[in-house]
Amino acid sequence: MKHLAVDRRGYPVIATVQRSPQEVNFGAISERRKLALATFDWCAVCGLPFADELRWQMVFQEEGLLPSAVSGEAPVHEVCALYAVQVCPFLFSPHSRLGDEYRKGTVRDAVVRFVGFESTSAVGAHESGLQPGVHTLHFEHERHLDEFSYRAPEEIRERFADALAGERDLPVSDAEELLIRLFNRIDDQGEGDVVTGAALIAGAAFAKDVFKVQGMKAFAGKQYPTVAGLLLKGSEQEILEFSRGSQDEAFSAVGPWVLERAGALPVPLQRWRKRGESMVRRGTPQRREGPGRSVAKNAACPCGSGRKARRCHPAGVPGG
């Protein structure tokens, strides 16, 4: 986790927690950041790719095989789960209690169980059972392959030591390395918003009810579905032209990332893009900047490149 930013006290700021240049809130999870984790298939603790590693999730069923599981928490690597057990007060102590306003006083289960699943099969927006009207992201995992349980952290310290000893650096491309670096900043004046925007144009904009998700209102009504259409149905040349022309660092990296991962995109992202297939048209000139708004003949292209629309995409910008 040496790549993670640290707070004023020197604590690594794990990938999923809310942050701003002023403060880091270790007790709050950012739904915007969860969307980026789901899109790029990154761990909720270290913010690095899973590659071929299992997706680990804390579950509340004490025993038995779990063919699948659904959770409002994003998955983590095994070594990151074992690390969290050592440093998270709720996971560390059997006497811990939740402190948020909806579950205040809830005691941790005596036995904590983590299960490793082969894959994340879907991510979707669901209305919160604690906060009516508030939507949060839920992760669905399949194929239970491994697990560990404990009452006190001492019981799994040997497993943690073995996991650390077996750690290896995961290879990442230049494009993904840039996205990871931007995502883990704490000085971008937001909550990793630049990478949340990149996740939307990679295809998350097509996820059902995504703009209802907590914290996503700021992204609604903007160009994200339009640019997502370009990355979905545009040619390789169009996607690369968009990336080279974008002044947004995350936007410049996400096009190459989509192209290099073609045929091996994370499954949730594949499903969102499949849904987008019927929402995006190609072939006829599109002269709309957004719903109900005409674009003048020499207007800038809605893809965000800064070029004239007709010169940037003579065939029309996907998605209108």
Side-chain angles (χ1 to χ4, degrees):
M1 303 199 310
K2 60 188 178 183
H3 63 286
L4 295 182
V6 296
D7 72 355
R8 291 190 299 263
R9 301 164 296 178
Y11 295 144
V13 182
I14 66 173
T16 195
V17 303
Q18 288 185 359
R19 81 279 309 278
S20 73
Q22 290 73 41
E23 66 172 344
V24 175
N25 186 354
F26 282 95
I29 300 301
S30 168
E31 294 296 320
R32 294 179 179 183
R33 297 183 66 79
K34 281 170 58 180
L35 184 68
L37 295 174
T39 301
F40 299 111
D41 196 28
W42 294 339
C43 168
V45 169
C46 70
L48 292 175
F50 279 102
D52 58 356
E53 295 192 30
L54 300 185
R55 280 75 172 158
W56 287 82
Q57 197 78 62
M58 187 174 76
V59 299
F60 294 96
Q61 182 176 323
E62 289 190 6
E63 58 184 18
L65 183 67
L66 298 173
S68 64
V70 178
S71 174
E73 301 283 349
V76 299
H77 296 112
E78 179 184 10
V79 70
C80 293
L82 291 162
Y83 164 80
V85 170
Q86 313 301 318
V87 300
C88 171
F90 185 74
L91 295 175
F92 183 86
S93 172
H95 306 294
S96 295
R97 285 174 166 77
L98 289 171
D100 64 75
E101 59 182 304
Y102 302 99
R103 298 169 294 176
K104 190 172 183 178
T106 301
V107 181
R108 195 205 81 182
D109 290 346
V111 176
V112 177
R113 183 187 186 197
F114 276 87
V115 172
F117 294 93
E118 184 177 52
S119 64
T120 302
S121 56
V123 179
H126 297 273
E127 186 172 8
S128 170
L130 297 173
Q131 300 169 270
V134 173
H135 285 67
T136 58
L137 293 172
H138 284 63
F139 292 69
E140 183 174 343
H141 307 292
E142 292 185 345
R143 293 181 288 281
H144 174 173
L145 297 183
D146 198 1
E147 68 173 87
F148 66 83
S149 299
Y150 68 92
R151 291 178 178 272
E154 293 79 9
E155 299 171 15
I156 55 171
R157 292 242 168 100
E158 184 175 348
R159 183 170 183 139
F160 185 29
D162 291 342
L164 282 173
E167 262 297 272
R168 55 189 172 86
D169 289 337
L170 296 173
V172 294
S173 68
D174 291 343
E176 187 159 18
E177 185 176 28
L178 175 57
L179 289 168
I180 290 167
R181 179 175 61 80
L182 293 172
F183 185 67
N184 287 298
R185 290 172 58 185
I186 59 175
D187 60 348
D188 67 350
Q189 305 301 317
E191 303 172 17
D193 290 355
V194 292
V195 181
T196 301
L200 287 169
I201 68 171
F206 301 128
K208 185 178 179 181
D209 294 330
V210 66
F211 295 107
K212 292 183 180 180
V213 171
Q214 188 176 38
M216 292 298 298
K217 186 176 180 180
F219 295 90
K222 297 186 179 179
Q223 301 174 13
Y224 297 103
T226 299
V227 186
L230 170 64
L231 268 66
L232 178 64
K233 291 193 173 180
S235 67
E236 180 175 341
Q237 180 179 351
E238 287 176 315
I239 293 172
L240 290 176
E241 282 184 1
F242 161 75
S243 299
R244 286 193 291 265
S246 177
Q247 296 181 356
D248 183 299
E249 282 189 288
F251 277 28
S252 70
V254 75
W257 181 86
V258 167
L259 291 173
E260 69 195 19
R261 292 291 298 268
L265 290 168
V267 174
L269 181 57
Q270 289 182 39
R271 296 181 68 165
W272 296 336
R273 287 167 65 90
K274 182 67 175 177
R275 184 172 184 266
E277 291 282 348
S278 62
M279 302 165 64
V280 177
R281 293 196 301 270
R282 279 289 284 168
T284 57
Q286 304 287 328
R287 296 183 60 189
R288 294 167 62 86
E289 185 180 12
R293 291 179 291 176
S294 297
V295 175
K297 182 177 180 179
N298 293 317
C301 183
C303 80
S305 67
R307 300 172 182 169
K308 303 300 183 186
R310 287 190 169 184
R311 291 185 180 179
C312 189
H313 295 297
V317 179

